[in-house]
Amino acid sequence: MKVKKGIPLIDQHDKNGFYGGKFGGNYVAETLKKPIDDLSKLFDKCRKDKKFLKERDDLYENYVGSPTRFFKLQNLTDHLGGAQIYAKMVSDANGGAHKIYNAITHAMLCKKAKKKYICTDTGAGYNGKMFSMVAKKFGLGCKVFMGTRDIERQKPNCDAIRKNGAEIVPVTSGSRTLVDAVSECIRYWVSNCDKVHMGIGSLVGPNIFVKICGWSTAQISRELKVQLEDEFGEIPNKLKLINCVGGGSSAYGFWSEFFDYNKKHIELIGVEAGGPKNSKLHAAPLSKNSKIGILHGAAAYCVQDNDGQISETESCSSGLDYPSCSPIHCFLKDVGRARYTVATDEEAFSAYKLVTELEEISPSLEPAHSFAEAIKIAPKLDESNIIVVNSCGDSLKDRDIIKKRLGNYIR
Amino acid sequence: MKSQISLAFEKCKRENRPALLTYTVAGDNSKKKSLEILKSISQYADIVEIGFPFNAPTADGPQIQNSTYRALKNGFKLKDAFQIVKNYKKSRNAKPCILMGYYQMVYSYGENKFVKKCKQAGVNGLIIVDLPWPDNKKFAKLCRKNSITFVQLISPTTSKERMKKIIRDSHDLNYLISMLSTTGGKLKVSPKRILKNYFKIKRINKSKNMVIGFGITNKTIGSFKKADGLVVGSALCKGISDSIKNRQNPVIKLNKMVKVLKNKII
């Protein structure tokens, strides 16, 4: 089992949709076999279609705004006194996070499939917000499934979703977070797959959704590669790319151009949500060695109890608060191409605090986990090391949580 | 040797009526009560389907979800499902029994161990909602080896070509999902259209029994008398929810409900 060179990682699955022979697949109800098959065929056709690609690139450039900025965090670097720290400001993207890339592709596919409605899940609310934006742009009806716990804690994004004319469907089952939102969204699709297009908001779900999402977010690393060459004249030879991992969509996008490099040359570090320091609950199936489980159509490392029930997770960041993760990250973990670790809620908050005090940026609590790892390792490295953190979301959505936790929220 | 499931269908055919299949969730609303319910409704049911709860179901409607969460809240474990089947099978009225659930529970338990446990407990058939053909080929074979019927699902979205392949690989029982819906949805297609589709599929191989499920209630069941068998699930799960709400005994309530259903198809 290893990463093949020269082939996009999303395409390195077998005929049944498994990466490394065991991660991923298509564990879905019979009813969804055909819609998934149709979508797979449509996507295969569109990704080769020059017109489709041009339309997408135009949207990425003019609607999302590309490239998103890349610059050095000089104050943070000086403060920590070690490796040089850079940020890739994916939060510059229209809407404030990387979720816009995947949403655009899904809206385009929805149009191509001649469907008038689109549905999706959301945790942090960013995916829901982006789907509501593109739905409005493309003239599609849009339903966003969201756990009631997340509706409470991510109000700014909920307001945006509603303002765009999309409907938020509150999900009250289970832990009332992303996991339940995804289940409910899939259930809705089972009942309405003839009229409605479903977009899953991360690099998870049945194989085709993993592929569409990875194909879309890959824009991030295409930009980064050019920006690295512009800044350093070449790809630096001690480079570390740090990204938070919930489902793993931004991490895949951030890394996709760099899998073929030696890991000593470019180290890929994924940071999962460790949850509150004193809690047993977490959302870190990769770093805490969870067993493989089947959730939302795919086999992946998954937080579960001894009986196979999916366990509750806990994290201050809704976007990382998910018990499973992408089959692609499971594969990257097993082949040793990426390293996965955790940051606790406390570490994420203090990273947020430090970064916002020193720099003119304001990452959301998801990338705050990535900054926490950067802050941990930078002082131990010398300045020949380049750390790039994907600041994949803007903190505005976390306004209330941050205010409650740190006393104030200043933008 | 014919399976008990096939024998149950033969008996119904002799009586010139469809088989009545019930679905209830193991452990709803307690282990003890769910066993009592099974024993009680077996007075009228021909085959009992028993759900083993999973907390992230992607094809269940609200009624079955409620039953599932009730069972899990009461501390239900997978081993309890086997125990319930085992005890049920010892009862006087015991009927063939089909376990139904999601693949994660099987995967986590281990396929071999799961099927072996089923066999020991006396399970006659298995439905794994999210293990569609052809991904289920290996597991279906394992079931067959252990004399357990692996029930294949067919839905309104299944293409003719795919149906043929599924039916070719199927055991003695297939399950037609009546419409695009999670379980327990309101019947949004006319029974006439569902039956038309049903007989089209039946023609592929008449020797295999096929039941219809999803949206079957005491209001609709009478329209499907020509099918080999009919599954009622969500309506019964709702019956349990209602009886808890009204402080009634769910055993008596379900017995009455299944009696009414049976009367509508004889």
Side-chain angles (χ1 to χ4, degrees):
Chain A
M1 192 159 86
K2 59 180 187 189
V3 177
K4 286 184 206 130
K5 288 192 177 176
I7 305 168
L9 189 49
I10 51 165
D11 296 322
Q12 295 185 25
H13 57 82
D14 63 20
K15 68 179 191 339
N16 298 317
F18 288 96
Y19 298 93
K22 58 179 174 181
F23 300 115
N26 290 292
Y27 297 97
V28 294
E30 172 63 23
T31 306
L32 293 183
K33 279 301 253 192
K34 175 141 196 310
I36 283 177
D37 197 35
D38 290 346
L39 181 59
S40 306
K41 282 180 189 148
L42 180 65
F43 176 63
D44 280 345
K45 199 177 116 199
C46 287
R47 69 191 283 198
K48 287 182 211 130
D49 177 355
K50 283 198 181 119
K51 228 177 106 195
F52 188 88
L53 289 176
K54 190 178 176 300
E55 189 188 344
R56 178 196 74 159
D57 290 343
D58 281 351
L59 284 164
Y60 282 3
E61 194 177 329
N62 302 314
Y63 178 66
V64 177
S66 80
T68 56
R69 289 172 299 159
F70 169 73
F71 53 77
K72 188 170 182 182
L73 302 178
Q74 189 66 54
N75 297 340
L76 186 65
T77 302
D78 293 346
H79 177 82
L80 295 170
Q84 302 183 56
I85 303 176
Y86 282 74
K88 170 74 176 152
M89 296 303 292
V90 175
S91 57
D92 286 350
N94 192 4
H98 64 285
K99 298 285 185 195
I100 190 73
Y101 299 111
N102 184 45
I104 286 176
T105 310
H106 274 293
M108 289 173 70
L109 290 169
C110 179
K111 274 282 194 195
K112 287 273 176 204
K114 299 199 165 50
K115 289 180 173 175
K116 291 196 179 93
Y117 302 93
I118 197 162
C119 69
T120 194
D121 54 80
T122 200
Y126 269 133
N127 185 60
K129 179 179 170 189
M130 307 310 178
F131 267 74
S132 71
M133 282 163 56
V134 294
K136 191 173 174 190
K137 186 171 175 62
F138 283 74
L140 302 165
C142 178
K143 270 189 206 287
V144 177
F145 292 83
M146 190 170 189
T148 48
R149 178 145 185 259
D150 289 332
I151 293 177
E152 282 158 26
R153 58 180 173 168
Q154 307 279 236
K155 192 173 175 298
N157 276 349
C158 295
D159 294 344
I161 295 169
R162 292 194 184 102
K163 216 176 105 200
N164 289 327
E167 180 193 348
I168 296 178
V169 183
V171 179
T172 55
S173 54
S175 56
R176 300 177 290 123
T177 56
L178 181 56
V179 60
D180 311 291
V182 178
S183 298
E184 189 64 30
C185 184
I186 296 176
R187 286 191 285 262
Y188 177 76
W189 200 41
V190 168
S191 301
N192 299 283
C193 55
D194 51 341
K195 293 184 204 78
V196 180
H197 173 89
M198 178 177 79
I200 291 184
S202 191
L203 199 70
V204 300
N207 183 246
I208 185 59
F209 293 99
V210 173
K211 291 179 73 168
I212 292 173
C213 183
W215 185 79
S216 308
T217 55
Q219 171 70 12
I220 302 168
S221 66
R222 281 196 293 272
E223 292 176 13
L224 178 63
K225 203 169 180 190
V226 174
Q227 288 166 323
L228 284 168
E229 278 160 358
D230 285 352
E231 175 82 11
F232 301 101
E234 58 176 357
I235 304 293
N237 56 25
K238 282 187 207 165
L239 181 63
K240 295 179 192 307
L241 302 179
I242 306 182
N243 206 122
C244 56
V245 176
S249 59
S250 68
Y252 180 85
F254 194 47
W255 297 344
S256 70
E257 289 288 319
F258 305 102
F259 293 124
D260 289 356
Y261 289 81
N262 186 296
K263 68 176 173 190
K264 286 195 183 112
H265 183 179
I266 302 181
E267 192 184 5
L268 310 174
I269 304 168
V271 187
E272 296 186 291
K277 198 170 68 186
N278 295 322
S279 168
K280 278 192 184 134
L281 301 180
H282 59 84
L286 292 159
S287 355
K288 303 226 170 179
N289 297 315
S290 298
K291 284 199 307 180
I292 298 176
I294 317 290
L295 178 66
H296 298 144
Y301 292 119
C302 180
V303 188
Q304 55 189 298
D305 69 14
N306 290 333
D307 213 40
Q309 302 294 344
I310 308 304
S311 299
E312 275 209 38
T313 54
E314 190 177 2
S315 167
C316 61
S317 80
S318 305
L320 305 182
D321 202 355
Y322 185 67
S324 188
C325 58
S326 174
I328 297 227
H329 289 293
C330 299
F331 178 62
L332 286 169
K333 182 196 163 176
D334 272 26
V335 298
R337 181 61 192 95
R339 170 171 82 81
Y340 296 89
T341 182
V342 287
T344 61
D345 281 5
E346 288 77 5
E347 288 166 332
F349 280 113
S350 47
Y352 167 84
K353 195 158 176 268
L354 184 67
V355 170
T356 50
E357 273 167 11
L358 294 172
E359 302 285 349
E360 289 287 313
I361 65 170
S362 193
S364 67
L365 291 174
E366 288 80 11
H369 284 72
S370 317
F371 279 108
E373 176 65 14
I375 291 165
K376 254 184 247 175
I377 63 171
K380 297 178 203 154
L381 301 166
D382 65 41
E383 60 177 9
S384 67
N385 287 276
I386 309 295
I387 291 175
V388 186
V389 176
N390 180 1
S391 195
C392 57
D394 186 275
S395 70
L396 187 65
K397 71 170 179 74
D398 294 325
R399 183 185 62 199
D400 301 340
I401 306 170
I402 292 166
K403 210 166 163 181
K404 202 169 153 197
R405 188 74 175 237
L406 300 176
N408 59 7
Y409 175 77
I410 306 158
R411 273 314 283 275
Chain B
M1 202 175 80
K2 275 187 182 160
S3 74
Q4 282 195 41
I5 291 177
S6 289
L7 291 173
F9 279 102
E10 280 181 10
K11 179 175 173 277
C12 297
K13 261 168 215 154
R14 278 197 305 273
E15 293 171 11
N16 207 11
R17 62 173 178 87
L20 177 60
L21 289 81
T22 57
Y23 172 93
T24 50
V25 173
D28 181 28
N29 59 334
S30 69
K31 288 172 226 170
K32 199 169 147 245
K33 274 274 185 291
S34 67
L35 175 62
E36 279 177 37
I37 290 172
L38 284 170
K39 286 181 183 171
S40 165
I41 59 179
S42 294
Q43 193 182 346
Y44 307 107
D46 299 295
I47 293 172
V48 293
E49 280 183 19
I50 304 171
F52 49 96
F54 171 52
N55 67 355
T58 47
D60 291 341
Q63 302 305 342
I64 293 179
Q65 280 185 57
N66 286 342
S67 286
T68 297
Y69 287 122
R70 256 194 317 260
L72 289 172
K73 220 176 144 197
N74 288 334
F76 180 88
K77 294 278 183 289
L78 185 58
K79 65 174 174 19
D80 299 327
F82 299 126
Q83 197 58 47
I84 287 169
V85 173
K86 209 169 176 176
N87 289 334
Y88 167 69
K89 282 293 196 171
K90 285 182 201 151
S91 69
R92 198 164 46 91
N93 266 332
K95 298 287 161 70
C97 122
I98 297 173
L99 273 191
M100 178 167 179
Y102 288 81
Y103 187 58
Q104 158 64 1
M105 299 306 292
V106 180
Y107 183 86
S108 151
Y109 202 77
E111 285 188 355
N112 282 306
K113 202 174 139 202
F114 187 92
V115 172
K116 203 174 268 172
K117 270 279 182 190
C118 284
K119 196 180 176 182
Q120 281 169 6
V123 171
N124 304 95
L126 271 173
I127 301 176
I128 307 297
V129 180
D130 55 348
L131 192 63
W133 187 91
D135 307 287
N136 60 33
K137 276 185 173 177
K138 197 179 114 239
F139 185 68
K141 249 186 212 155
L142 180 67
C143 291
R144 200 200 283 268
K145 241 181 168 170
N146 288 279
S147 318
I148 291 171
T149 299
F150 184 86
V151 182
Q152 295 281 1
L153 295 155
I154 294 169
S155 99
T157 57
T158 311
S159 69
K160 185 92 192 273
E161 201 136 306
R162 188 174 154 80
M163 265 177 210
K164 282 185 184 162
K165 291 178 190 160
I166 293 175
I167 292 173
R168 186 196 62 206
D169 285 353
S170 70
H171 300 175
D172 50 335
L173 175 60
N174 297 310
Y175 187 129
L176 175 67
I177 297 165
S178 64
M179 57 179 171
L180 291 186
S181 171
T182 49
T183 55
K186 208 172 154 219
L187 209 57
K188 55 184 179 183
V189 184
S190 74
K192 212 174 138 191
R193 253 183 75 194
I194 293 168
L195 278 173
K196 203 177 146 199
N197 189 32
Y198 174 88
F199 286 110
K200 224 165 74 191
I201 302 167
K202 259 306 262 196
R203 272 202 290 278
I204 297 171
N205 186 341
K206 285 187 178 154
S207 73
K208 299 207 177 175
N209 290 303
M210 186 161 69
V211 296
I212 306 177
F214 286 42
I216 312 280
T217 62
N218 65 0
K219 288 202 181 78
T220 56
I221 195 165
S223 319
F224 294 101
K225 277 189 200 170
K226 285 183 184 148
D228 296 334
L230 299 161
V231 189
V232 183
S234 293
L236 299 179
C237 291
K238 184 170 183 294
I240 298 179
S241 298
D242 289 347
S243 64
I244 293 168
K245 210 165 72 193
N246 302 328
R247 294 170 183 250
Q248 294 164 326
N249 184 348
V251 181
I252 297 168
K253 166 110 181 170
L254 273 265
N255 181 286
K256 274 187 196 152
M257 285 179 80
V258 179
K259 184 181 177 182
V260 171
L261 289 165
K262 180 69 172 281
N263 283 335
K264 298 222 161 140
I265 54 169
I266 48 176

